[in-house]
Amino acid sequence: MEGAVFSLTEGAVRILLCKLGCLLSEETWLVRGVHGEIQYIKDELECMNAFLRTLTISEIYDDQVRIWMKQVREIAYDSEDCIDEFIHNLGESSEMGFFRQLIFMLRKLACHHRIAVQLQELKARAQDVGERHSRYGVELAKATHQEVHPRLTRHASVHLDPQLHALFAEEAQLVGIDEPRDELVSWLMKDDIRLRVLAIVGFSGLGKTTLARMVCGSPVVKSADFECCPLFIVSQTFNIRALFQHMLRELIQEPHKAMAIAGGKNGLISEDYLEGMERWEIAVLTKNLRRYFQDKRYIVILDDIWTVSAWESIRCALPDNLKGSRIIVTTRNVDVANTCCSRPQDRIYNIQRLSETTSRELFFKKIFGFADNRPPSDELEEVSNSILKKCGGLPLAIVNIGSLLASKTNRTKEEWQKVCNNLGSELENNPTLEGVKQVLSLSYNDLPYHLKACFLYLSIFPENYVIKRGPLVRRWIAEGFVSQRHGQSMEQLAESYFDEFVARSIVQPVRTDWTGKVRSCRVHDLMLDVIVSRSIEENFASFICDNGSTLASHDKIRRLSIHSNYNSSQKTSANVSHVRSFTMSASVEEVPLFFRQLRLLRVLDLQGCNCLSNETLHCMCRFFQLKYLSLRNTNVCKLPRLVGNLKHLETLDIRATLIKKLPASAGNLIYLKHLLVGHKVQLTRTASVKFLRQSSGLEVATGVVKNMTALQSLVHILVKDKSPVLREIGLLQNLTKLNVLLRGVEENWDAFLDSLSKLPSPLRSLSIHILDEKEHSLSLDNLAFVKSPPLFITNFSLGGKLDKLPPWISSLRNVSRFALRHTELHAEAIGVLGDLPNLLCLKLYYKSYADESIVFRPGKFAKLKLLIIDNLERIEKVLFEGGSVPNLERLTLSFLQEPRYGILGLENLAKLKEIEFFGEIILSVVTKVASYVKAHPNHPRVIGDKWNIVTEYA
Ligand SMILES: *[C@@H]1O[C@H](CO)[C@@H](O)[C@H](O)[C@H]1NC(C)=O
Ligand SMILES: *[C@@H]1O[C@H](CO)[C@@H](O)[C@H](O)[C@H]1NC(C)=O
Ligand SMILES: *[C@@H]1O[C@H](CO)[C@@H](O)[C@H](O)[C@H]1NC(C)=O
Ligand SMILES: *[C@@H]1O[C@H](CO)[C@@H](O)[C@H](O)[C@H]1NC(C)=O
Ligand SMILES: *[C@@H]1O[C@H](CO)[C@@H](O)[C@H](O)[C@H]1NC(C)=O
């Protein structure tokens, strides 16, 4: 914890010192009036900061020091709030008439006076806390000679290869699961047309969910004729409405969309089937679910049911249709299990701890990467035994401690003994909540200090929330947890933190992309318990949820999360005016009354909220310090006119909203780094196949983009006709990602070509798509005339008619991913692409290729690992000649009709691991491919991914 306090405190102080420095150099009369106070606070904080560093280096922590650090942090936050208001007050425009200016000056003076008084108070507090520090100074001198607490030593953490680790993490969890899985599968598959319920009951951390997943994922179940096998998490903060909406969305809406794309000849997605679902009553939701399940043989996993009443509500939506359907429930509560399995055909399975042998196997596999029963050196034998005993056969505990040990460079007996000493012994004989939490606290405590604040930050998300990499990284940066390091951008550094959490198994990977990178994760609910209680203790974050709120425990709230419904008209006495970060979950049905008081917010996340009124949005424009704003996946159709008041905004995430235009005031957002727009639909479970919805794209007025000089990502900007925006893009020198959608820009090509020539060297990802639906309208052929092409890009995507690839394409030595759509290219283009030296992934989307046969020649595509062929209209033959695409691992396919001459030469792909069919799956194609690859030495998997529901063939 101490480390977290330190990194939190240090982060807060660092930002503040920077601001104070800037302010002191200002030469206006307003600043001169309070110059003394500001200088004093700055000096005090500098001293405190230096002292903080000494404390961390000497690793002395006790309760007094901890409390002191918290006080320093609170002062730093309060000073920053005060200074920010002061600066804001300084910066108001003075372009107004004399009389108004007079009133304005008077108001300013009054405000100035208030701030001056606040500064006096802060000065006194700083003085006070500073004196306390000198008292510790004495103890510090004493303590450096003797180690007060024997602690785990902190080393620079080893950066394990995160990709390797994620893949391996999945496997490691599976040790010892075969036997119970096979037993349950055979029970499940018994001939019985009645609905059967299986309840897996047991303590937290025993692997109930993993077992349930494994049962559903076993080949026997997969090849049976079940129509759907999704997993729904019920969890403690149970909201039947939100759950049912989620189920419907997963089951009906997504397939419906996918079907429209895969089958639709024009690639258009029709209107949302479930329009207005947010307002449906529970009875209507139930009826729709029943109707969906009625004629299907289904398996559903309901994960983590806490109460009998939750079960009873869900049960109503799952009909017994006498088709041999199955429900798997996991729960910690025996009463729930008994209620679920009240009929004779049901079954309760008590999940057991791991045996000693399997515990050892899992443990060593986690540390050394191979399954063995012995450590590689005898000196570790004894200490391994003691650690394993304390983990009590709980997979969660073993995996956590194993990862902790794996992250240490020194694999010595002494080092391991220290870990062992810090493990409680509660788990040895009987799993208790406290015991598991103690184990998890240990993995948390062992984090290097710069990671602790970032990890604690995960406590603001609700239970079972899927945390996505990109947004998390941007939020860490907005909160000031990541400091600039030489030669590495903040984004890169923050991403390495995320990878480290995965490598240490303190988060659980949810989605891994085709390269093995973990794109989203989840925090185990027990780990969440651990960090939530630390968060509350440190006044890091406060929470409002069904079972109460933690607002009362601190006088000033710094970060606030609302997770579920509560009575919004409830008055709160807590001081919310200092909240810097506010997160509201999708299940909240009303914006709280105190929303307007959150003036000093830095981070505002309203993702998924469907209760945002125009008034709420308008109110938001007064949060002048806002750096991060997410309205992703909300019903917002227009940004408020004054959004430009958010001068410090760095991230504006409006993906999957109905927003089509930026207001003119957006030209004031000069610090904006990420402007994220567009609505993408994922068509496969690894999300390698994606589709941008038709109405995506954001229009901006002239001069807006030009002002946003700090932009790094400009994603899905829509440019029409003669708009000068194309020219402005060329001025953005820090751009790393650019997605442009063009509509009717014939006369404007020169400007665009000019901009493309000027794209800066940090640019990595470039996508250019033409939106015109008319035949023979615009083509991308002009791209051939770019004077100085962006040769440094790694991701490239083109959409629109193209007779021939521009000649410079063959010079793109760094391109690793290439996507084409609507280009209608011919065979020679495949030859050009085949010579790109670093191409790893080629996506041939709908209409990208116009010939009947596509042939991969020998010696081409030397590094390609993933090839996607998506419903090419005329395709009759796919041929891999001997020696072509030698490294292909994954082939992802979808067809409009069976190719007449087939898919040939699969035997030439020596590294092939998986052939994946998606969209409308044509069974005759799949069975042929499956029978071809029977003889393949690699035995590649043949799977159908029909709307994220995976079926294994072969
Ligand atoms: C590893 O152990 C050696 C000897 O026991 C010690 O000198 C070294 O400092 C240790 N390294 C770390 C990172 O603790
Ligand atoms: C919410 O709280 C207010 C005031 O405390 C009370 O009048 C109202 O009945 C409550 N509403 C609900 C739905 O509980
Ligand atoms: C919000 O404003 C938009 C346009 O300004 C308008 O179309 C919409 O009806 C308003 N919504 C509400 C709830 O007032
Ligand atoms: C761009 O910034 C300048 C200077 O800050 C400002 O005067 C201008 O209005 C801005 N342009 C737009 C379109 O907002
Ligand atoms: C562009 O990036 C560099 C390096 O990160 C930074 O120093 C500079 O301020 C950025 N430019 C703008 C206009 O933000």
Side-chain angles (χ1 to χ4, degrees):
M1 189 60 229
E2 302 77 5
V5 186
F6 174 75
S7 62
L8 281 178
T9 313
E10 203 260 350
V13 174
R14 177 166 39 79
I15 293 172
L16 178 61
L17 285 176
C18 200
K19 281 190 183 164
L20 291 174
C22 292
L23 194 60
L24 285 173
S25 63
E26 287 258 341
E27 268 303 315
T28 70
W29 59 275
L30 280 171
V31 176
R32 257 177 267 136
V34 288
H35 201 278
E37 279 80 13
I38 296 178
Q39 185 71 51
Y40 186 89
I41 292 174
K42 179 163 181 277
D43 292 348
E44 277 298 312
L45 282 168
E46 266 170 358
C47 289
M48 290 184 211
N49 205 28
F51 184 63
L52 276 171
R53 280 187 184 284
T54 332
L55 279 177
T56 328
I57 292 163
S58 54
E59 299 198 350
I60 302 168
Y61 308 105
D62 57 23
D63 278 348
Q64 274 186 316
V65 172
R66 204 171 56 89
I67 291 167
W68 183 76
M69 286 199 205
K70 189 163 142 189
Q71 284 168 345
V72 174
R73 190 173 68 243
E74 296 279 313
I75 288 197
Y77 280 155
D78 282 342
S79 311
E80 194 189 350
D81 289 348
C82 179
I83 296 295
D84 282 340
E85 280 210 67
F86 184 67
I87 295 175
H88 181 62
N89 195 28
L90 279 183
E92 304 253 276
S93 145
S94 54
E95 288 164 24
M96 46 183 83
F98 172 75
F99 192 63
R100 283 187 60 199
Q101 196 159 3
L102 190 68
I103 296 176
F104 177 71
M105 289 307 265
L106 285 173
R107 245 200 241 137
K108 207 158 175 166
L109 266 177
C111 178
H112 184 243
H113 179 70
R114 186 166 48 81
I115 290 173
V117 171
Q118 269 179 30
L119 278 172
Q120 285 287 356
E121 281 169 20
L122 281 167
K123 180 181 157 183
R125 260 172 75 193
Q127 203 166 2
D128 201 32
V129 173
E131 275 163 16
R132 242 169 280 165
H133 136 223
S134 50
R135 258 176 271 152
Y136 297 124
V138 182
E139 283 166 34
L140 177 64
K142 212 168 48 189
T144 38
H145 295 289
Q146 66 194 64
E147 215 181 327
V148 186
H149 298 292
R151 299 186 49 84
L152 301 180
T153 21
R154 283 145 210 281
H155 347 108
S157 49
V158 196
H159 282 272
L160 301 160
D161 177 359
Q163 304 191 356
L164 201 79
H165 214 89
L167 293 176
F168 172 59
E170 269 174 31
E171 274 174 36
Q173 250 97 20
L174 307 184
V175 169
I177 220 163
D178 290 358
E179 217 174 293
R181 181 197 61 191
D182 292 347
E183 184 191 335
L184 293 179
V185 166
S186 71
W187 177 83
L188 205 70
M189 296 307 296
K190 273 210 193 97
D191 244 353
D192 187 348
I193 58 160
R194 293 171 300 176
L195 178 70
R196 297 178 125 199
V197 182
L198 167 67
I200 302 177
V201 58
F203 195 75
S204 260
L206 278 170
K208 297 184 292 293
T209 310
T210 313
L211 181 58
R213 276 182 206 271
M214 292 310 296
V215 168
C216 272
S218 77
V220 184
V221 175
K222 281 254 154 102
S223 58
D225 55 349
F226 289 109
E227 286 215 34
C228 49
C229 183
L231 179 141
F232 298 110
I233 294 165
V234 183
S235 92
Q236 195 171 7
T237 50
F238 164 77
N239 174 336
I240 188 86
R241 220 177 136 102
L243 177 74
F244 279 4
Q245 283 168 355
H246 171 76
M247 288 171 84
L248 275 171
R249 220 174 273 129
E250 287 281 303
L251 293 168
I252 301 176
Q253 182 169 286
E254 293 295 331
H256 173 74
K257 279 184 198 163
M259 209 145 33
I261 304 157
K265 298 286 181 272
N266 51 9
L268 278 173
I269 296 182
S270 42
E271 284 302 299
D272 271 348
Y273 184 73
L274 298 172
E275 180 83 53
M277 186 173 67
E278 303 81 41
R279 291 178 296 276
W280 288 3
E281 293 299 322
I282 290 172
V284 180
L285 292 164
T286 311
K287 200 177 76 199
N288 271 282
L289 279 170
R290 279 189 80 89
R291 193 188 298 153
Y292 176 81
F293 285 118
Q294 193 59 53
D295 56 350
K296 296 185 174 61
R297 183 180 186 205
Y298 60 87
I299 291 194
V300 174
I301 307 177
L302 300 168
D303 194 25
D304 205 12
I305 300 192
W306 279 72
T307 59
V308 170
S309 70
W311 161 253
E312 281 164 353
S313 314
I314 302 169
R315 183 70 179 76
C316 296
L318 299 166
D320 182 358
N321 49 13
L322 298 181
K323 284 183 181 294
S325 298
R326 304 286 183 259
I327 300 175
I328 303 179
V329 167
T330 77
T331 180
R332 309 168 199 195
N333 183 332
V334 180
D335 291 339
V336 172
N338 287 333
T339 317
C340 295
C341 303
S342 51
R343 297 163 316 161
Q345 73 264 33
D346 301 333
R347 162 158 192 190
I348 297 178
Y349 181 80
N350 275 298
I351 192 164
Q352 299 299 319
R353 303 174 182 218
L354 294 185
S355 71
E356 205 184 311
T357 326
T358 36
S359 292
R360 287 176 71 92
E361 220 174 281
L362 178 57
F363 184 66
F364 293 124
K365 195 168 177 185
K366 201 73 210 172
I367 304 172
F368 301 109
F370 50 83
D372 197 349
N373 265 335
R374 303 189 52 74
S377 96
D378 283 340
E379 76 157 0
L380 295 176
E381 176 66 34
E382 195 184 328
V383 64
S384 303
N385 281 339
S386 333
I387 292 176
L388 278 169
K389 219 166 156 194
K390 290 186 172 183
C391 288
L394 249 64
L396 182 68
I398 297 172
V399 165
N400 258 274
I401 296 305
S403 304
L404 193 161
L405 294 175
S407 74
K408 301 200 175 296
T409 33
N410 266 357
R411 288 178 181 155
T412 58
K413 190 177 156 195
E414 292 71 31
E415 193 70 30
W416 287 27
Q417 193 61 52
K418 279 188 208 164
V419 172
C420 186
N421 294 346
N422 280 286
L423 280 170
S425 54
E426 282 92 340
L427 292 181
E428 248 173 74
N429 302 312
N430 178 31
T432 64
L433 221 50
E434 276 322 301
V436 195
K437 281 189 191 168
Q438 187 155 4
V439 172
L440 297 181
S441 303
L442 194 60
S443 354
Y444 169 76
N445 288 337
D446 190 60
L447 284 175
Y449 81 85
H450 62 278
L451 291 179
K452 281 194 173 157
C454 290
F455 192 60
L456 214 48
Y457 198 63
L458 305 184
S459 67
I460 64 170
F461 300 110
E463 210 174 286
N464 286 313
Y465 186 80
V466 176
I467 303 168
K468 293 195 172 119
R469 174 189 281 261
L472 181 64
V473 158
R474 289 186 283 271
R475 288 183 69 162
W476 280 338
I477 293 172
E479 294 271 359
F481 295 158
V482 183
S483 49
Q484 191 97 41
R485 234 192 246 175
H486 196 64
Q488 219 176 4
S489 72
M490 282 200 264
E491 282 78 8
Q492 283 167 330
L493 196 59
E495 293 218 13
S496 75
Y497 294 175
F498 186 92
D499 290 335
E500 174 110 20
F501 294 159
V502 173
R504 285 172 173 263
S505 307
I506 52 180
V507 297
Q508 305 174 317
V510 174
R511 191 167 69 76
T512 306
D513 70 12
W514 64 273
T515 65
K517 193 169 172 180
V518 175
R519 309 305 308 217
S520 59
C521 69
R522 186 180 283 146
V523 181
H524 192 279
D525 41 21
L526 279 182
M527 183 59 104
L528 190 65
D529 269 3
V530 169
I531 57 178
V532 162
S533 59
R534 304 256 175 154
S535 278
I536 295 171
E537 199 178 295
E538 286 304 327
N539 197 19
F540 181 85
S542 304
F543 306 89
I544 303 180
C545 45
D546 273 348
N547 30 17
S549 95
T550 63
L551 294 188
S553 48
H554 293 281
D555 59 341
K556 281 180 189 155
I557 291 157
R558 306 291 178 184
R559 291 182 190 79
L560 180 59
S561 291
I562 304 188
H563 288 336
S564 51
N565 262 318
Y566 72 106
N567 187 342
S568 68
S569 51
Q570 235 169 339
K571 286 275 185 310
T572 163
S573 60
N575 182 351
V576 292
S577 63
H578 291 266
V579 172
R580 350 185 90 225
S581 173
F582 180 64
T583 308
M584 200 160 88
S585 299
S587 55
V588 179
E589 287 174 4
E590 221 176 324
V591 178
L593 283 180
F594 60 71
F595 185 74
R596 56 179 62 251
Q597 294 171 39
L598 306 174
R599 285 188 62 240
L600 296 174
L601 274 188
R602 274 47 168 206
V603 171
L604 175 58
D605 188 346
L606 300 173
Q607 190 175 325
C609 294
N610 276 310
C611 57
L612 307 179
S613 64
N614 286 344
E615 199 195 342
T616 308
L617 295 173
H618 191 71
C619 184
M620 182 182 84
C621 296
R622 299 213 312 264
F623 303 161
F624 63 94
Q625 284 296 329
L626 212 56
K627 284 182 163 181
Y628 179 99
L629 173 60
S630 175
L631 299 172
R632 188 175 182 176
N633 202 10
T634 59
N635 57 353
V636 176
C637 53
K638 201 172 166 200
L639 280 173
R641 196 170 48 84
L642 295 177
V643 77
N645 288 0
L646 306 175
K647 290 199 176 60
H648 297 275
L649 207 59
E650 290 176 358
T651 299
L652 178 58
D653 190 344
I654 46 173
R655 283 177 283 184
T657 60
L658 302 169
I659 298 169
K660 297 259 186 307
K661 271 188 182 151
L662 273 192
S665 71
N668 294 327
L669 304 177
I670 56 171
Y671 296 114
L672 200 64
K673 292 204 268 184
H674 307 280
L675 178 53
L676 308 173
V677 195
H679 193 164
K680 274 197 170 170
V681 183
Q682 300 172 355
L683 295 191
T684 56
R685 73 202 188 291
T686 57
S688 54
V689 187
K690 284 189 211 155
F691 182 88
L692 183 70
R693 292 186 62 162
Q694 199 70 12
S695 54
S696 296
L698 182 79
E699 274 186 70
V700 291
T702 309
V704 169
V705 167
K706 191 166 69 184
N707 276 6
M708 298 176 173
T709 49
L711 268 185
Q712 294 177 8
S713 337
L714 181 54
V715 177
H716 297 124
I717 180 167
L718 174 64
V719 183
K720 275 190 187 166
D721 306 320
K722 291 186 196 156
S723 164
V725 172
L726 287 180
R727 212 175 270 287
E728 295 176 21
I729 290 172
L731 301 172
L732 304 173
Q733 284 310 305
N734 279 5
L735 212 54
T736 60
K737 181 170 183 183
L738 173 64
N739 291 18
V740 222
L741 307 169
L742 303 171
R743 175 166 281 160
V745 290
E746 287 98 301
E747 295 113 277
N748 210 0
W749 262 107
D750 290 345
F752 189 43
L753 294 180
D754 205 34
S755 289
L756 286 181
S757 289
K758 288 188 190 138
L759 287 175
S761 56
L763 190 80
R764 290 291 169 267
S765 176
L766 175 62
S767 147
I768 305 170
H769 283 243
I770 289 177
L771 285 186
D772 296 58
E773 296 90 12
K774 288 172 287 176
E775 292 285 318
H776 313 296
S777 54
L778 201 54
S779 93
L780 285 171
D781 287 320
N782 281 321
L783 284 178
F785 305 115
V786 179
K787 277 200 210 73
S788 148
L791 297 180
F792 24 74
I793 51 175
T794 59
N795 286 7
F796 198 21
S797 166
L798 287 174
K801 181 97 177 61
L802 194 57
D803 275 342
K804 203 163 159 284
L805 285 172
W808 48 267
I809 294 282
S810 53
S811 322
L812 298 175
R813 305 196 55 81
N814 296 331
V815 159
S816 63
R817 303 175 192 211
F818 210 128
L820 296 162
R821 191 189 287 276
H822 291 289
T823 45
E824 300 187 30
L825 287 165
H826 302 282
E828 81 274 3
I830 300 299
V832 173
L833 295 171
D835 286 332
L836 292 175
N838 284 305
L839 194 62
L840 298 178
C841 162
L842 177 63
K843 303 186 182 187
L844 297 172
Y845 281 120
Y846 184 64
K847 278 195 174 179
S848 58
Y849 185 76
D851 289 358
E852 279 198 1
S853 67
I854 184 164
V855 182
F856 296 87
R857 305 270 180 215
K860 299 280 183 177
F861 296 103
K863 289 197 180 163
L864 199 73
K865 285 187 171 174
L866 169 66
L867 174 65
I868 295 172
I869 296 181
D870 166 21
N871 294 298
L872 298 178
E873 277 187 312
R874 298 201 194 96
I875 207 77
E876 299 292 358
K877 177 164 101 175
V878 179
L879 169 61
F880 301 95
E881 292 185 346
S884 69
V885 217
N887 283 302
L888 194 72
E889 290 178 3
R890 189 193 286 265
L891 189 56
T892 299
L893 304 168
S894 186
F895 294 97
L896 293 173
Q897 72 274 330
E898 182 168 353
R900 208 177 329 149
Y901 307 110
I903 303 165
L904 310 168
L906 290 172
E907 67 279 5
N908 294 324
L909 305 170
K911 298 262 177 74
L912 195 62
K913 287 185 189 153
E914 186 172 289
I915 303 174
E916 173 189 46
F917 290 90
F918 69 96
E920 239 2 288
I921 290 169
I922 303 174
L923 213 55
S924 58
V925 181
V926 179
T927 28
K928 268 182 205 158
V929 165
S931 67
Y932 282 150
V933 298
K934 279 238 165 68
H936 195 291
N938 260 7
H939 305 295
R941 300 205 303 160
V942 178
I943 59 171
D945 184 340
K946 198 172 184 183
W947 316 316
N948 298 323
I949 295 163
V950 176
T951 317
E952 196 140 349
Y953 302 91

